[in-house]
Amino acid sequence: MSTEGPSLSSIEPPPRRPKVIKTNQQQVFLYVVLTLLLSLATVWGGRTWLHNSETLTFAVGAANSDEALFAAKLATLLKTNGSRFRIKVVNNPDNAKALAQFDRKQADLAVLRTDAKVPLKARALAILEHDLVLLLGPGNKKIKSLAELKKKKVAVLADNDSSLAFVRSILDIPDGPDAAKMIQMAPQGATLDKLFAPASGFGAVIAIVHASKAVRDKAYEQVARRSGFTLNAIDETKALARKFPGISDETLTAGTLSASPEIPDDDLETIGLEWLLVAQSKMSATTAGDLARIVYENKPALGLDNGFATRIEPASVEKDAFVMAHQGAADYINDDTKSFMDKYSDMMYLGAAALSVIGSIFAAIYAKITRIAPEKAGELSTAVLDIGERIEHAHSLDQLECLQDELEGILRGAVIGLRDGTISTDGLDTFKLGYEFVRDEVAMRRDYLKRHCSEAETIPAPAALPPPEDSNVVVVKTAQSA
């Protein structure tokens, strides 16, 4: 039997799956990188959300009014300090119109004096200023009570017309022609000298001034030295405070208006009003608290040149306050501000649960995109059995060794794949059974080829017949008859 057969090149190798380039280590690294990128994006988004600018509308009166100038300073301060708050100042003809806009919930902030009609949803953030009610008489004439003023012509020295209505209310003088004659607004630019002149006819002056302005106004001292005036106490402060809840008790210390001569010469009781920075009750406690903190911590920068808002005070947190403090401001004033964990613990728990679900989804996506699915060990059985089918076509030991090497290569790749995770154990028993079967087939074929080759070498070739010897050949000639 001839030992020649198909050449090695005629035995085509079985189709193989492309070699997996990405190992588990590469996949883990890629997963970590993508997770870090997701975390950074989440942190950036959270920071953006927390520090996202919040625009607050501030309703004020005329552009040159104290509240408008204060609002402008606050807006500049917030912008300069890089705060997340932005102030949009909206001017109105007067402060009453500004409070009406605030009452319609068209503004987040406003400034009100406590003699004004307080919007229902207004909550105090800070006390910006105190207005003092000064009862002044000409020369040495004392005014013992407010009732005496009903018999006198009184001038109201103030910055706005709302003070005229306030004086009429505390004197209990109804509106009418008589009231207009008795209680008049002092002319613009009028001084105490002119108001107390006999030609003016005024028997008293009620000045309503900012406390911060009164202590630095030298006009009172100059008038006291020239013609003199008398600063009278208002003894009905408690009764007026009960009748008008917006009124506050004020005490003027000796020498407040004039150091020489000393006016008053002793502590003096009077009444006053407060200017409040108010916010809508619906404003979040965090926003109100942060805004109150900014106002309290930057008092020197918010004061006006005329003295307004130079002594900002915390809002009253008492339950019977004329205007209740906003909860956020009250928490800050009472040092009861919640920590970050207190504020956002519930949100963080919900966020953690949500991130857990989202993380699982992203993990599945990462695994789907970045991880190459491992080959099942059972799928290698096809290549093994294909080698088994080609064993019978191996007619030489060289061809058989080629198949043996191919079989060992499949086994080696399976072992490495199982170690690296690129091959799963699914169908591993089938692979083992197929490998053992083909391995035995190779061994049997090798034995057959070896035995066949041995037999071919031991059987001698048949000997050639020797040529006939001449001595043994007899030639018979047959005569043929003619």
Side-chain angles (χ1 to χ4, degrees), residues 160-182:
N160 51 71
D161 294 338
S162 62
S163 297
L164 179 62
F166 170 71
V167 171
R168 289 176 178 176
S169 64
I170 62 174
L171 296 180
D172 197 17
I173 297 177
D175 293 335
D178 293 337
K181 294 179 181 179
M182 293 176 57

Side-chain angles (χ1 to χ4, degrees), residues 105-430:
K105 301 179 181 179
Q106 295 176 349
D108 304 292
L109 300 170
V111 174
L112 65 84
R113 198 171 72 172
T114 48
D115 62 326
K117 181 181 178 181
V118 180
L120 183 63
K121 299 297 183 179
R123 297 294 183 268
L125 296 180
I127 300 174
L128 300 182
E129 185 61 80
H130 289 262
D131 272 3
L132 299 175
V133 178
L134 304 178
L135 179 54
L136 308 172
N140 295 325
K141 295 181 180 180
K142 283 186 173 287
I143 301 173
K144 297 181 180 180
S145 66
L146 293 179
E148 291 186 21
L149 297 178
K150 295 182 179 182
K151 302 176 183 179
K152 299 178 182 291
K153 183 180 177 182
V154 180
V156 178
L157 187 62
D159 292 335
N160 51 71
D161 294 338
S162 62
S163 297
L164 179 62
F166 170 71
V167 171
R168 289 176 178 176
S169 64
I170 62 174
L171 296 180
D172 197 17
I173 297 177
D175 293 335
D178 293 337
K181 294 179 181 179
M182 293 176 57
I183 311 296
Q184 297 180 14
M185 197 73 184
Q188 189 72 22
T191 62
L192 287 178
D193 288 335
K194 294 181 179 180
L195 294 176
F196 285 141
S200 67
F202 290 111
V205 172
I206 295 181
I208 301 179
V209 296
H210 299 327
S212 55
K213 182 179 181 180
V215 298
R216 63 176 69 182
D217 191 352
K218 298 299 182 182
Y220 294 101
E221 184 173 337
Q222 294 171 0
V223 173
R225 289 179 177 179
R226 287 196 300 267
S227 57
F229 65 89
T230 301
L231 177 62
N232 301 275
I234 298 178
D235 298 330
E236 300 91 337
T237 55
K238 295 187 182 298
L240 289 173
R242 285 193 298 268
K243 185 175 181 180
F244 304 99
I247 292 178
S248 59
D249 296 333
E250 301 290 343
T251 300
L252 294 178
T253 58
T256 297
L257 298 185
S258 174
S260 178
E262 193 176 40
I263 299 176
D265 55 3
D266 197 2
D267 291 352
L268 181 142
E269 297 296 324
T270 186
I271 59 175
L273 299 168
E274 294 177 343
W275 289 86
L276 304 178
L277 174 63
V278 296
Q280 295 284 354
S281 59
K282 67 177 183 178
M283 179 181 289
S284 70
T286 301
T287 299
D290 290 344
L291 196 58
R293 175 184 56 78
I294 293 172
V295 171
Y296 299 151
E297 292 179 355
N298 295 275
K299 290 185 288 186
L302 294 174
L304 304 185
D305 294 337
N306 63 2
F308 183 82
T310 53
R311 299 187 64 182
I312 299 174
E313 303 172 16
S316 174
V317 295
E318 301 297 331
K319 293 183 178 179
D320 60 348
F322 180 61
V323 179
M324 290 185 61
H326 195 288
Q327 186 60 49
D331 290 341
Y332 179 78
I333 295 169
N334 294 328
D335 197 20
D336 193 27
T337 305
K338 294 181 179 180
S339 65
F340 181 84
M341 289 299 297
D342 293 333
K343 290 180 183 178
Y344 300 109
S345 58
D346 294 340
M347 186 181 299
M348 290 176 67
Y349 292 140
L350 292 175
L355 286 176
S356 176
V357 175
I358 295 174
S360 299
I361 295 174
F362 271 99
I365 294 174
Y366 290 159
K368 187 68 175 178
I369 296 175
T370 66
R371 183 183 179 90
I372 296 179
E375 186 178 7
K376 297 179 181 179
E379 295 176 355
L380 299 177
S381 303
T382 302
V384 171
L385 295 176
D386 182 71
I387 294 174
E389 293 176 356
R390 289 184 289 155
I391 290 175
E392 61 178 334
H393 301 292
H395 299 292
S396 67
L397 291 176
D398 290 339
Q399 293 176 344
L400 190 63
E401 287 300 326
C402 182
L403 295 176
Q404 176 71 30
D405 292 342
E406 192 174 340
L407 180 65
E408 295 298 329
I410 294 175
L411 177 62
R412 187 180 305 106
V415 173
I416 295 174
L418 289 170
R419 181 193 64 187
D420 294 341
T422 55
I423 295 179
S424 70
T425 57
D426 190 8
L428 183 58
D429 292 337
T430 303

Side-chain angles (χ1 to χ4, degrees), residues 438-481:
V438 174
R439 182 191 60 188
D440 293 342
E441 284 287 326
V442 170
M444 292 174 60
R445 184 65 175 174
R446 181 180 290 107
D447 292 341
Y448 169 78
L449 292 176
K450 287 181 178 180
R451 188 172 59 254
H452 181 71
C453 291
S454 298
E455 290 176 354
E457 292 175 357
T458 55
I459 297 176
L465 296 177
E469 296 180 0
D470 295 340
S471 58
N472 294 329
V473 177
V474 177
V475 178
V476 179
K477 293 183 178 181
T478 305
Q480 296 180 356
S481 61

